[in-house]
């Protein structure tokens, strides 16, 4: 690497020794050589700490942080604090990337004067063969509103790992601590601060589906946190007047409310831990505020929301009274 790196890559590491070599090697082999790699090991109980230190001795582009607290957001924020490049990317340590990912994203960001550049991802089952490599399509440039509508409608991934960020976006907003689905709760805030966003239509990120990963299994608290992510997005849409006067507004509001209703129902179907009653009351209160907001919704979604808010006992009776909790 010559001089200041062009891209910093932050990799949180927690008990991912079986997948760490594949991940780090995919970053070391990037065709963009001017990068720094920050491995943020946080309270691992396997061989991950020693593997991280060995990589730092092997490659002078790699530095290692060892944290005394665990947590994905905490690790990402700690890595951000020591990065030096003008652009920052994030990779999860059990995933891997294509060799040209950061070259494509960096060129797209610089060439388009974009504050975020993003690529596509592929979901892969652990042990399955990767999808065939495809050439990159021409870069497209989008306004923040276009990107935000795509995020809210889940046409564009909210994952921070498929994106390259202008590091100044993190001056005011960082990853929220002690929550699940942190990307869903914050990526739209960074998009809203951009002038433009560049998109590279190519699968560059390989998201591995495996037993034991954070998002692979759901319980009541995860349903609650995903509910919160969508409820906060709904409030953001209203506050920013996103897509106001455009046909997408109804679709956006409807999608977010339906996500909240689904996670509320699924949380109630699960065996709930002690103290979960406060989470249920919080969700009910947020659903009531959604109803009172009179946002544009489809008739079916509005009817479902009304049943929860106005006829909660009847809703519980018809949905849960004679069903066993999972």
């Amino acid at each position: 690497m010559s001089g200041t790196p062009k891209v910093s890559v932050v990799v949180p590491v927690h008990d991912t020794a079986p997948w760490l070599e594949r991940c780090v090697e995919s970053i070391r082999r990037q065709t963009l050589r001017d990068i720094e790699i920050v491995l943020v090991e946080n309270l691992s109980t396997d061989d991950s700490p020693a593997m991280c230190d060995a990589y730092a001795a092997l490659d002078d582009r790699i530095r290692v942080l060892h944290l005394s607290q665990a947590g994905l957001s905490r690790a990402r924020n700690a890595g951000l604090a020591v990065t030096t490049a003008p652009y920052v990317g994030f990779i999860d340590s059990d995933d891997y990337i294509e060799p040209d990912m950061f070259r494509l994203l960096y060129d797209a960001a610089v060439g388009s004067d974009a504050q975020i550049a993003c690529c596509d991802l592929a979901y892969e089952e652990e042990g399955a063969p990767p999808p065939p490599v495809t050439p990159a399509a021409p870069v497209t440039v989008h306004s923040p509103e276009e990107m935000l509508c795509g995020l809210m409608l889940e046409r564009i991934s909210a994952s921070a790992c498929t994106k390259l960020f202008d590091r100044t976006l993190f001056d005011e907003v960082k990853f929220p601590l002690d929550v699940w689905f942190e990307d869903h709760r914050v990526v739209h805030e960074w998009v809203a601060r951009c002038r433009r966003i560049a998109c590279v239509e190519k699968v560059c990120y390989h998201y591995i589906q495996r037993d034991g990963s954070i998002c692979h299994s759901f319980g009541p608290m995860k349903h609650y946190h995903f509910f919160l992510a969508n409820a906060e997005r709904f409030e953001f849409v209203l506050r920013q007047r996103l897509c106001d006067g455009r046909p997408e507004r109804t679709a956006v509001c409807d999608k977010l409310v339906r996500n909240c209703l689904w996670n509320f129902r699924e949380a109630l179907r699960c065996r709930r831990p002690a103290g979960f009653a406060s989470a249920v009351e919080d969700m009910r209160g947020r659903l009531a505020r959604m109803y009172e907001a009179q946002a544009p919704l489809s008739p079916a979604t509005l009817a479902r929301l009304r049943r929860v808010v106005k006829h909660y006992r009847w809703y519980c009776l018809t949905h849960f009274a004679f069903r066993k909790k999972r």
Side-chain angles (χ1 to χ4, degrees):
M1 182 173 66
S2 58
T4 303
K6 294 174 175 152
V7 168
S8 297
V9 185
V10 177
V11 186
V13 180
H14 178 76
D15 287 345
T16 51
W19 307 276
L20 187 58
E21 179 179 359
R22 178 181 60 187
C23 173
V24 176
E25 288 300 326
S26 74
I27 305 171
R28 291 183 65 222
R29 293 169 182 165
Q30 289 294 292
T31 56
L32 179 67
R33 300 297 299 169
D34 292 336
I35 63 174
E36 70 172 349
I37 306 167
V38 183
L39 304 179
V40 189
E41 186 278 313
N42 53 117
L43 284 187
S44 296
T45 58
D46 61 5
D47 292 335
S48 296
M51 292 176 69
C52 289
D53 291 337
Y55 266 118
L58 176 67
D59 192 329
D60 61 6
R61 298 176 301 169
I62 296 177
R63 59 193 304 187
V64 178
L65 302 180
H66 293 286
L67 303 187
S68 59
Q69 288 181 288
L72 180 60
S73 289
R74 188 169 280 105
R76 286 176 173 174
N77 289 340
L80 268 172
V82 302
T83 55
T84 61
Y87 291 92
V88 182
F90 303 91
I91 305 298
D92 288 344
S93 57
D94 51 356
D95 298 332
Y96 69 100
I97 59 177
E98 288 295 309
D100 57 353
M101 174 171 163
F102 284 115
R103 166 61 69 188
L104 290 171
L105 293 183
Y106 178 80
D107 288 348
V110 173
S112 305
D113 188 27
Q115 290 68 53
I116 294 176
C118 60
C119 63
D120 297 330
L121 62 77
Y123 292 92
E124 296 179 23
E125 292 295 330
E126 178 65 28
V133 176
T134 57
V139 174
T140 57
V141 181
H142 303 273
S143 68
E145 185 171 62
E146 290 172 329
M147 187 74 170
L148 287 168
C149 284
L151 284 171
M152 300 304 173
L153 292 171
E154 298 178 6
R155 296 170 182 166
I156 299 172
S157 171
S159 172
C161 295
T162 60
K163 298 167 180 64
L164 186 65
F165 298 88
D166 183 322
R167 65 170 296 111
T168 62
L169 292 173
F170 302 104
D171 290 346
E172 296 180 6
V173 179
K174 293 183 173 60
F175 289 95
L177 298 179
D178 303 321
V179 299
W180 282 305
F181 313 108
E182 59 290 319
D183 292 356
H184 277 75
R185 298 175 80 154
V186 75
V187 166
H188 54 275
E189 296 282 358
W190 294 318
V191 170
R193 288 166 166 76
C194 294
R195 294 187 302 275
R196 58 186 65 87
I197 299 95
C199 291
V200 177
E201 294 186 29
K202 180 188 177 183
V203 171
C204 294
Y205 192 91
H206 297 268
Y207 184 92
I208 305 303
Q209 306 287 282
R210 63 178 181 84
D211 293 338
S213 64
I214 292 175
C215 296
H216 200 73
S217 60
F218 267 68
M221 288 304 297
K222 287 187 178 179
H223 282 297
Y224 175 47
H225 279 244
F226 201 52
F227 175 102
L228 291 177
N230 283 278
E232 290 172 7
R233 283 180 160 200
F234 180 81
E235 293 167 3
F236 173 87
V237 167
L238 298 187
R239 187 170 63 252
Q240 297 288 328
R241 302 181 66 85
L242 182 63
C243 301
D244 209 4
R246 297 173 57 178
E248 296 95 330
R249 184 169 175 81
T250 298
V252 166
C253 291
D254 204 71
K255 177 72 170 178
L256 296 173
V257 172
R258 284 190 287 112
N259 282 349
C260 288
L261 287 167
W262 184 83
N263 281 281
F264 179 67
R265 184 190 67 191
E266 292 304 303
L268 293 184
R269 282 182 172 176
C270 295
R271 294 187 181 276
R272 298 184 290 281
F276 195 71
S278 60
V280 174
E281 288 306 305
D282 182 37
M283 287 188 283
R284 288 184 62 190
R286 290 174 185 267
L287 290 170
R289 291 195 292 276
M290 290 180 189
Y291 182 74
E292 293 163 2
Q294 297 184 333
L297 301 172
S298 69
T301 301
L302 182 60
R304 289 174 59 195
L305 184 59
R306 184 185 298 114
R307 281 197 294 271
V308 175
V309 174
K310 297 295 185 180
H311 309 288
Y312 181 65
R313 293 195 178 191
W314 178 249
Y315 169 83
C316 289
L317 181 65
T318 55
H319 281 75
F320 312 114
F322 303 108
R323 296 183 183 181
K324 292 182 178 179
K325 290 185 175 66
R326 288 187 274 109

